[in-house]
Amino acid sequence: MRSGGGPGLGAKLRLEDVVTRIGAFTLGPVNLEVGDGEVALIFGPNGAGKSTLLKTILGLYRPERGRVLIDDVDVTNVPVNRREVGYVPQSLALFDHMSVRDNIEFGLKVRGVPKEERGRAVKEVAERLHIEDFLDRRASELSWGQAQRVAIARAVITRPKVLLLDEPASGLDPWSADYLADLIVYVRDELKVATIVVSQYAGKLLRASTRLLFMSNGKLYDLGPVERALTSPMKAEAAAYLGYDNVIPCKALGNLCEGSKSLALRYSSVQVGEAPCDGLQLKGWLEQIYADVDGSLRARVDLNGVKVTGLLKGKVEGRDVYVCIKIDSAALVE
C-alpha cells in the first residue's frame, strides 16, 4: 500500500488526488492505495479528517475533485449500496429491535440471497467471530464488545472488497481491544479484505496492522510499515501518538542534528541524575520528580527551554541536574 505516487498494480482501493470539503473543513488532496490483505491504520487527533475520509470512500460524501477506485473501477459517483464496501461506524448502528441473526444477515437479505444460503453464511461468520451463542438475542441486550463483533460480522458477511472501521477500539477495555485486534487479523489473513481502520491512538491495534498513516488538519502522511513507523515516525506530531514522550528541537541540542528538525525519544532513553552516560550529556533544571505506575521514578526537566521527561538515575542534589540522552535510540522527525 502506498499513500503517494502513481497508480499501483494490485491495489484493491485507490484514491487519486481526492479533495472533500465539508463546511470550512478541507480533506486532502489524498492519494492512497490499499491492497488485498492489508490493514492501513490511520491515526491522529480528533477533527483531523479521519471519519471524513472513510465517508468519502464509502460514498456518503462526494469529493470536490479526484477519484475513488475499487478494483481499478472508478466508483466516485457510484451509490453507497453498489460500492462493495463494508462499513462499521463508531456508533455500530445495529438495529436494536432485531435479533443478532437478523442484524448479521440484513445485507444478504436486501440483496435477495435465499434463506438457506443466508443461514449457512450466518453460521460460518458467527463461528469465526465467536458469537454463535447469542444469535437469537436482541441487539439491545448485548455488551459493547459483543455488539462490535456483530457489527463486524454484518459488515464482512457480504464479502466486501474493502472494509472500513471507524474508531473500533473506542470505549473498549484492554481485553476487548485485544480481542478486536484478533478479529482484524482474521479479516486480514483469512478473508484477505483490504481494510482501513481509523483511531485516535494507534497502540491498541498495532499488531493487527500492516501499515501506519497519520492524519492532521486534513492531510494524510504515510509512515510506512508498522515496524519502520514505530522506530522512525517522520512527523513530530505523529511521534507523540506512538509513545514518544519527548520531542526535542535540534536547536536545543547544539549542532547535533539539522536545525529545522527534532529528535523524538521515549522517556526510557533519557536519564536524569549523576550516573554514567553512554550518550549526549547536558545540564538542565529539575522541575518535578514523580513515581510511575511501575514504581520507577521519572523526572521532568527544563532543557534549554524544552520540557523533557526521563528516568531518574543516580544522585540528584538541588535543581541543577545532568541529563543523559541516548542518541542511538532517537528518531529524527520534522
Side-chain angles (χ1 to χ4, degrees), residues 65-327:
R65 75 168 190 263
R67 300 196 304 165
V68 178
L69 298 99
I70 297 176
D71 267 349
D72 292 323
V73 176
D74 188 345
V75 298
T76 309
N77 297 309
V78 172
V80 175
N81 62 338
R82 292 176 53 200
R83 290 198 179 199
E84 297 185 82
V85 176
Y87 176 54
V88 179
Q90 187 173 357
S91 66
L92 304 184
L94 295 180
F95 302 116
D96 285 344
H97 66 288
M98 292 168 53
S99 70
V100 168
R101 186 188 309 276
D102 289 342
N103 266 278
I104 294 173
E105 72 171 13
F106 182 80
L108 297 178
K109 193 171 184 178
V110 297
R111 286 168 171 79
V113 176
K115 183 176 181 180
E116 186 176 334
E117 188 176 338
R118 296 200 308 265
R120 288 196 299 268
V122 169
K123 183 176 184 295
E124 179 184 351
V125 74
E127 289 175 351
R128 288 283 192 173
L129 301 187
H130 303 290
I131 55 179
E132 66 271 28
D133 291 340
F134 45 87
L135 284 175
D136 295 319
R137 285 194 215 168
R138 286 183 181 272
S140 59
E141 299 172 356
L142 303 177
S143 69
W144 184 259
Q146 291 171 335
Q148 189 171 63
R149 278 183 270 167
V150 172
I152 293 175
R154 184 177 64 181
V156 301
I157 197 171
T158 57
R159 298 288 177 170
K161 293 180 178 179
V162 176
L163 177 64
L164 309 176
L165 304 178
D166 193 355
E167 296 284 356
S170 178
L172 294 183
D173 58 60
W175 184 90
S176 297
D178 194 52
Y179 192 84
L180 171 64
D182 287 338
L183 298 185
I184 297 174
V185 168
Y186 160 69
V187 171
R188 181 192 73 196
D189 295 345
E190 299 296 326
L191 302 183
K192 304 293 185 184
V193 179
T195 302
I196 295 180
V197 180
V198 304
S199 179
Q200 184 175 2
Y201 296 100
K204 295 179 180 179
L205 301 175
L206 282 174
R207 71 177 179 86
S209 306
T210 59
R211 200 169 192 87
L212 296 184
L213 299 99
F214 180 70
M215 179 161 274
S216 179
N217 296 319
K219 305 298 183 185
L220 188 64
Y221 303 94
D222 183 5
L223 305 184
V226 172
E227 295 79 6
R228 189 179 80 195
L230 291 177
T231 56
S232 182
M234 296 169 53
K235 301 291 293 182
E237 191 179 359
Y241 284 83
L242 293 174
Y244 286 85
D245 307 88
N246 304 295
V247 177
I248 307 174
C250 289
K251 62 184 180 182
L253 301 172
N255 297 320
L256 186 63
C257 53
E258 187 179 329
S260 63
K261 296 187 177 182
S262 300
L263 287 185
L265 298 115
R266 304 183 194 279
Y267 78 90
S268 56
S269 297
V270 179
Q271 295 183 358
V272 179
E274 293 185 18
C277 178
D278 58 356
L280 175 67
Q281 192 169 54
L282 301 169
K283 273 205 164 185
W285 177 259
L286 180 64
E287 292 189 342
Q288 182 185 13
I289 296 175
Y290 61 96
D292 195 11
V293 291
D294 62 2
S296 63
L297 291 178
R298 295 196 193 187
R300 186 77 167 165
V301 177
D302 185 305
L303 185 65
N304 297 328
V306 179
K307 308 301 181 184
V308 176
T309 299
L311 282 173
L312 187 64
K313 294 283 188 179
K315 187 178 180 181
V316 171
E317 291 184 356
R319 295 287 185 174
D320 290 314
V321 294
Y322 285 103
V323 179
C324 179
I325 298 175
K326 297 181 179 180
I327 301 300

